[in-house]
């Protein structure tokens, strides 16, 4: 019997067909290459200035753009310890679950306080329960914490955060300028990592919005970026690279801009930072301390290493950190990063690392540890300053990671010694927490050999009231920094030594005791306190983005964010490492 449709039925069928075609179109769209949905990705999610369409004052012809390295990624050396070889230990697994849940509860507590009292602002004041906006008011904690929420399985919180991120308007700012460095590592890095982990395309769109804005920082006469991005000057085309640039600010753009090119297919971002790589390579051997770059660079008159202070601490730290990490992120296809790493580490080992005169432990043993100091160079001498910065504690992980990637076994040993040096500094303080900056009494031995303890020398060179081994603690505060636990995490994942998990737990308990408030965690004024610590009413976004993330991961299944699959930017945002395609299986 023939079926005759009514007019209403035909309309319903037509509507269903149109809906089906529309859904199919967008499903297909999500898997198309970048060039097929450029307009979709570059269209802002909020009204405002369209940085993607901004005319470039100092254009670079498309033919001159440097593309991502061609060819399949190399098979990189295994970095992470093979945990499958270890025997099962149910009792220890239960302990790790308890520790991991304790970290997760700390994250949940801090996030709930941020959500209630500082939502969509940069930071929570954890004592007064007010907010502050030092990073333009775009929601630094919100964006910085996205991947932490995802990794910890806080999916409802993540979903709500993504909805809030979609509302960010980069034109709605609390300042007429922004730091290129901070905007890059926190906002761009946070968006890209969360996008790769979750697949939420709106996060890639937001990353492109802020990436296009930061790309304008390179629109200078010599194509080197500004350090402070003044929005109106950028829109008017009046940016000039600074004379007072810093190594970290210019050398810590490469991972995020590379990942943005990898994720979007747009070569401009990678091309911009590849110029910086070429300048780093060109100038590495002509600084006042060949192999290292100074903290200060003159970018206005070219890429000129003008400073005389060298260190792995503030001003230079993450530029060195990114050398082996860029090698991984590019699938081993750019040997320049390996070459620069080896030259830099050789100089650092010779001039920046030092042994300190330390008191023996309860067993009468002097710890086998190393520290990284600051080096100043003048026309007559090279002087090492035995100051230990918390910022520089990432160096343990740097050496260990480079040692695995480039098959330098001695660097893994050095990385472990530096990491244990930072752990010793934590344990030596009354609160069990490391200060921002401290001075040690250096050994007077050669070739980084350990010296014995000299009580009289320490009394003569130290200030009264300090723990044994320290000569000064000029900056005694702790701002919830992640660098020490970062290296402890990396050393655990590389060596498989469970001792590092126990060290991490001791650190976590000490930090909680010293910094926890009723509602969240706060920076403290002095780690030398013997009683109640004075809370500074400050909680930077790296507390939830980095510190708590590393504490969680060291107690988690090692397969979660494996070091063979991901590489972390300096704000602890994991980026996927390109892998060679597996050969197809043949059927016979």
């Amino acid at each position: 019997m023939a079926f005759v449709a009514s007019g209403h039925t035909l309309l319903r069928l037509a509507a269903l067909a149109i809906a089906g075609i529309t859904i199919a179109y967008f499903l297909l769209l999500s898997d198309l290459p970048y060039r097929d949905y450029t307009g979709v990705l570059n269209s802002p999610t909020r009204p405002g200035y369209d940085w993607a369409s901004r005319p470039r004052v100092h254009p670079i012809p498309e033919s001159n753009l440097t593309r991502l390295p061609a060819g399949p990624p190399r098979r990189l050396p295994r970095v992470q310890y093979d945990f499958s070889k270890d025997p099962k230990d149910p009792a220890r697994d239960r302990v790790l679950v308890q520790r991991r849940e304790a970290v997760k509860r700390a994250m949940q507590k801090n996030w709930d306080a941020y959500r209630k009292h500082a939502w969509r602002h940069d930071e929570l004041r954890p004592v007064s329960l007010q907010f502050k906006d030092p990073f333009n008011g775009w929601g630094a904690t919100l964006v910085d914490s996205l991947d932490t929420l995802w990794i910890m399985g806080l999916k409802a919180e993540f979903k709500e955060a993504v909805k809030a991120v979609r509302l960010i308007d980069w034109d709605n700012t609390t300042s007429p300028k922004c730091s290129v460095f901070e905007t890059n590592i926190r906002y761009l890095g946070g968006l890209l990592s969360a996008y790769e982990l979750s697949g939420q395309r709106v996060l890639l769109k937001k990353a492109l919005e802020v990436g296009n804005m930061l790309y304008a920082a390179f629109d200078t006469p010599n194509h080197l970026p500004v350090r402070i991005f003044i929005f109106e000057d950028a829109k008017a085309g009046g940016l000039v690279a600074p004379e007072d640039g810093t190594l970290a600010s210019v050398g810590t753009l490469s991972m995020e801009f590379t990942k943005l090119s990898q994720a979007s297919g747009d070569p401009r971002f990678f091309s911009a930072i590849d110029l910086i790589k070429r300048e780093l390579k060109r100038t590495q051997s002509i600084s006042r301390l060949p192999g290292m770059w100074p903290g200060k660079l003159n970018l206005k008159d070219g890429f000129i290493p003008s400073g005389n202070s060298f260190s792995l601490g503030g001003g230079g730290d993450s530029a060195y950190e990114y050398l082996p990490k860029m090698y991984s992120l590019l699938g081993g296809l750019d040997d320049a990063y390996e070459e620069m790493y080896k030259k830099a580490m050789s100089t650092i080992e010779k001039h920046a690392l030092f042994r300190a005169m330390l008191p023996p432990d309860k067993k009468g043993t002097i710890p086998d540890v190393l520290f990284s100091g600051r080096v100043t160079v003048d026309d007559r001498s090279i002087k090492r300053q035995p100051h230990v910065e918390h910022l520089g504690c990432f160096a343990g992980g740097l050496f260990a990671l480079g040692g695995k990637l480039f098959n330098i076994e001695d660097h893994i040993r050095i990385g472990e010694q530096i990491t244990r040096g930072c752990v010793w500094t934590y344990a030596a303080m009354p609160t069990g927490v490391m200060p921002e900056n401290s001075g040690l009494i250096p050994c007077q031995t050669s070739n980084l050999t350990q010296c014995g303890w000299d009580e009289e020398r320490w009394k003569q060179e130290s200030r009264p009231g300090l723990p044994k081994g320290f000569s000064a603690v000029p900056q005694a505060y702790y701002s919830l920094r992640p660098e020490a636990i970062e290296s402890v995490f990396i050393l655990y994942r590389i060596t498989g030594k469970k001792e590092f998990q126990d060290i991490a737990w001791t650190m976590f308990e000490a930090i909680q005791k010293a910094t926890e408030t009723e509602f969240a965690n706060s920076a403290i004024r002095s780690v030398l306190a013997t009683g109640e610590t004075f809370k500074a009413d400050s909680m930077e976004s790296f507390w939830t983005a980095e510190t708590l993330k590393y504490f969680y991961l060291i107690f988690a299944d090692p397969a979660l964010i494996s070091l063979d699959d991901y590489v972390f930017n300096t704000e602890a945002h994991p980026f996927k490492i390109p892998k060679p395609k597996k050969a197809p299986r043949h059927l016979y």
Side-chain angles (χ1 to χ4, degrees):
M1 182 174 66
F3 174 76
V4 180
S6 68
H8 289 297
T9 303
L10 288 173
L11 285 173
R12 285 197 295 269
L13 289 172
L16 286 171
I18 292 170
I21 292 170
T22 302
I23 292 170
Y25 171 78
F26 282 106
L27 286 173
L28 288 170
L29 186 66
S30 67
D31 291 323
L32 290 175
Y34 169 83
R35 60 180 178 274
D36 289 328
Y37 55 77
T38 304
V40 176
L41 286 179
N42 275 328
S43 60
T45 54
R46 297 283 294 168
Y49 186 81
D50 185 4
W51 290 98
S53 301
R54 170 190 170 276
R56 194 173 174 95
V57 179
H58 305 284
I60 301 175
E62 187 171 345
S63 59
N64 290 351
L65 292 176
T66 304
R67 310 279 168 164
L68 289 162
R74 296 175 184 172
R75 192 172 301 280
L76 300 177
R78 185 184 182 110
V79 170
Q80 185 157 294
Y81 174 80
D82 185 2
F83 290 94
S84 66
K85 299 186 302 184
D86 292 348
K88 298 294 183 181
D89 187 346
R92 184 166 183 83
D93 288 345
R94 287 192 293 271
V95 169
L96 294 180
V97 169
Q98 293 170 358
R99 293 174 176 180
R100 186 167 68 246
E101 288 303 308
V103 178
K104 186 174 180 178
R105 285 194 299 273
M107 175 65 188
Q108 184 78 68
K109 178 179 178 178
N110 281 266
W111 183 257
D112 288 347
Y114 168 75
R115 182 183 176 278
K116 184 175 181 180
H117 301 286
W119 188 239
R120 296 184 61 196
H121 288 279
D122 288 340
E123 296 174 5
L124 168 74
R125 292 185 181 273
V127 177
S128 63
L129 298 181
Q130 302 297 311
F131 60 80
K132 59 179 177 178
D133 289 314
F135 301 109
N136 298 84
W138 294 322
T141 297
L142 173 69
V143 177
D144 231 357
S145 306
L146 285 170
D147 52 12
T148 304
L149 295 172
W150 181 271
I151 288 167
M152 291 188 182
L154 298 170
K155 298 301 172 63
E157 290 83 351
F158 176 83
K159 184 177 180 180
E160 182 184 37
V162 170
K163 290 180 180 179
V165 166
R166 192 182 188 281
L167 301 176
I168 295 174
D169 179 357
W170 309 105
D171 267 3
N172 185 11
T173 172
T174 57
S175 172
K177 59 189 177 182
C178 73
S179 162
V180 172
F181 171 82
E182 299 290 358
T183 306
N184 174 68
I185 65 171
R186 298 180 196 239
Y187 290 109
L188 181 55
L191 290 165
L192 287 169
S193 176
Y195 162 68
E196 281 203 311
L197 290 171
S198 70
Q200 293 289 318
R201 189 161 295 276
V202 68
L203 299 175
L204 178 56
K205 290 183 69 173
K206 299 307 291 187
L208 274 162
E209 287 175 16
V210 71
N212 279 313
M213 181 178 73
L214 293 176
Y215 181 69
F218 288 80
D219 191 11
T220 63
N222 59 9
H223 306 305
L224 293 173
V226 297
R227 182 170 59 88
I228 302 299
F229 187 79
I230 302 174
F231 304 120
E232 293 307 316
D233 287 356
K235 292 174 183 178
L239 297 182
V240 177
E243 293 182 12
D244 61 341
T246 67
L247 175 62
S249 66
V250 75
T252 316
L253 302 170
S254 54
M255 287 187 68
E256 296 78 9
F257 272 49
T258 295
K259 179 52 68 176
L260 188 55
S261 280
Q262 290 174 338
S264 69
D266 189 331
R268 295 174 301 136
F269 307 106
F270 176 74
S271 185
I273 59 90
D274 196 67
L275 169 62
I276 295 173
K277 178 209 72 179
R278 295 195 299 271
E279 290 299 311
L280 286 170
K281 192 171 186 296
R282 180 183 66 82
T283 58
Q284 187 173 18
S285 297
I286 63 173
S287 72
R288 295 185 181 184
L289 190 63
M292 294 185 73
W293 301 272
K296 295 292 184 182
L297 300 168
N298 179 347
L299 302 180
K300 179 181 179 181
D301 300 315
F303 199 98
I304 302 173
S306 55
N308 69 341
S309 179
F310 303 78
S311 84
L312 290 176
D317 47 0
S318 43
Y320 297 99
E321 175 188 355
Y322 275 24
L323 297 177
K325 291 184 175 183
M326 274 297 292
Y327 182 84
S328 290
L329 192 58
L330 291 172
L333 295 178
D334 191 339
D335 293 330
Y337 288 103
E338 178 181 0
E339 295 168 13
M340 288 190 288
Y341 167 84
K342 289 178 177 178
K343 287 181 181 178
M345 296 306 107
S346 177
T347 300
I348 288 166
E349 184 178 356
K350 182 178 181 180
H351 294 290
L353 301 186
F354 69 96
R355 295 273 189 177
M357 190 183 76
L358 305 179
D361 60 21
K362 294 178 181 179
K363 297 180 181 179
T365 304
I366 294 177
D368 180 20
V369 301
L370 286 171
F371 300 93
S372 175
R374 186 172 292 272
V375 182
T376 56
V377 181
D378 58 30
D379 294 336
R380 294 172 294 177
S381 63
I382 299 173
K383 296 180 180 179
R384 183 193 298 111
Q385 299 171 335
H387 292 285
V388 180
E389 295 181 56
H390 197 294
L391 268 170
C393 282
F394 83 96
L398 167 66
F399 269 95
L401 179 62
K404 293 296 288 187
L405 277 176
F406 307 128
N407 195 28
I408 309 172
E409 195 67 28
D410 197 45
H411 282 197
I412 303 173
R413 177 186 59 81
I414 290 172
E416 183 167 344
Q417 290 173 318
I418 295 172
T419 301
R420 291 184 183 276
C422 291
V423 169
W424 176 87
T425 309
Y426 263 76
M429 292 292 137
T431 53
V433 181
M434 183 177 181
E436 181 76 2
N437 198 321
S438 55
L440 298 173
I441 300 173
C443 286
Q444 297 172 330
T445 53
S446 58
N447 300 322
L448 290 179
T449 54
Q450 185 63 49
C451 59
W453 173 249
D454 185 334
E455 186 90 11
E456 289 305 313
R457 183 186 171 200
W458 171 68
K459 290 178 179 178
Q460 291 173 5
E461 298 186 27
S462 176
R463 294 180 183 177
L466 295 181
K468 285 190 174 183
F470 292 89
S471 59
V473 183
Q475 295 173 309
Y477 61 88
Y478 172 65
S479 58
L480 306 173
R481 283 203 178 278
E483 290 80 13
I485 184 57
E486 172 186 352
S487 284
V488 172
F489 162 73
I490 292 173
L491 263 295
Y492 166 67
R493 287 291 190 89
I494 283 177
T495 66
K497 294 180 180 180
K498 294 179 175 59
E499 176 192 359
F500 284 114
Q501 291 180 309
D502 299 328
I503 288 170
W505 181 245
T506 299
M507 291 168 62
F508 178 74
E509 287 191 306
I511 291 171
Q512 281 290 90
K513 182 179 179 181
T515 70
E516 190 174 17
T517 72
E518 181 181 355
F519 300 99
N521 290 75
S522 171
I524 58 175
R525 293 288 173 86
S526 177
V527 300
L528 295 169
T530 55
E532 182 70 21
T533 55
F534 185 89
K535 309 299 189 295
D537 201 16
S538 174
M539 188 186 86
E540 277 209 49
S541 66
F542 53 59
W543 168 242
T544 51
E546 299 187 69
T547 312
L548 289 177
K549 183 187 296 167
Y550 283 128
F551 273 120
Y552 183 84
L553 285 173
I554 200 170
F555 303 129
D557 184 340
L560 181 61
I561 315 295
S562 165
L563 295 186
D564 290 315
D565 297 325
Y566 291 89
V567 59
F568 292 83
N569 88 331
T570 196
E571 195 73 4
H573 297 307
F575 296 158
K576 287 182 181 177
I577 299 171
K579 296 294 184 72
K581 293 182 179 180
K582 294 181 180 179
R585 297 179 64 182
H586 297 285
L587 299 177
Y588 296 97

